[in-house]
Amino acid sequence: GGGETYAINSSHAISANVILYAQWEYNDQYTVTYYANGGSGSTVDDDSPYYEGNTATVKVNGFEYFGYVFAGWNTQADGGGTDYAAGATFSITDDVELYAQWEKDPSLWFGVTYNGNGHTGGTVPTDSTEYLSGSAVTVKPDVPVRTGAVFLGWSVTQHALVTAAPGVVQLACLL
């Protein structure tokens, strides 16, 4: 506020009762901000801003990301910074950005394996992509060959019977 300031160990003449009030200069204030990093929703730090030197507590995740499970917080989006778990504490000395880290939920990611089902030549495709449940999968263009048979396409059963023309039954390859 206003008025005269008295330094520690300074001397001053007194002529009445005096109340000396402590004077403060506040430390800098810093924020902790949470980012979904691909997810959606919100995680808010209601305690932010913090004064420099105060202790911040990492919040519980409030974000969601279909196909993924939350794996913690990191100071860098790519996970190359410092990891933090919910409930962890740290002394705040600067603004902090925490990015949700995600791992694939194995119950929602699938692969496609092609089986030539007795093929004798040509090419059976390979596909190393992991597909999120509900994603569209484009069947690979490679075609296997089987002596004495005509390739009709792929099936999810090994012995699918496909009729190509009246009275002619042909075997499709497995998907």
Side-chain angles (χ1 to χ4, degrees), residues 66-67 105 107-110 130-136:
F66 181 71
D105 180 343
S107 69
L108 295 174
W109 289 88
F110 304 98
E130 289 183 278
Y131 297 95
L132 181 58
S133 180
S135 296

